Amino acid sequence: MRKRSVGINVRVTVTEKKKVTMLARKCGLSLSEYLRQRALGYEPGGHPPKEVFDVMDKIDEIAESCQPSAGTKIAACADEIRNLLIGGN
């Protein structure tokens, strides 16, 4: 069951809505979640650009082509970097 049952209506200009929608999308959040987080004092972070993930995929390919012990270390480091970039644990 949905816990949130009370709405808050805010009037904005078309330009303001486009800007806030873009910022929410950049963070990977819905417009409602983005506004909720901002209103509650959180500053959501943006996702890295697609090129960052392309580079991480290339590092994974390199790790797979290395000697097993080196490949395991490279893969572990790549996982650590990936988690830092996307907010993993």
Side-chain angles (χ1 to χ4, degrees), residues 27-71:
C27 294
L29 299 172
S30 68
L31 180 58
S32 293
E33 184 60 25
Y34 179 81
L35 291 172
R36 187 178 302 109
Q37 287 189 20
R38 294 296 295 154
L40 295 173
Y42 301 111
E43 191 164 334
H47 284 283
K50 179 188 175 301
E51 292 79 11
V52 171
F53 294 100
D54 293 342
V55 169
M56 296 308 299
D57 290 342
K58 187 66 177 170
I59 291 171
D60 289 337
E61 288 175 23
I62 292 168
E64 289 173 10
S65 68
C66 289
Q67 297 277 339
S69 61

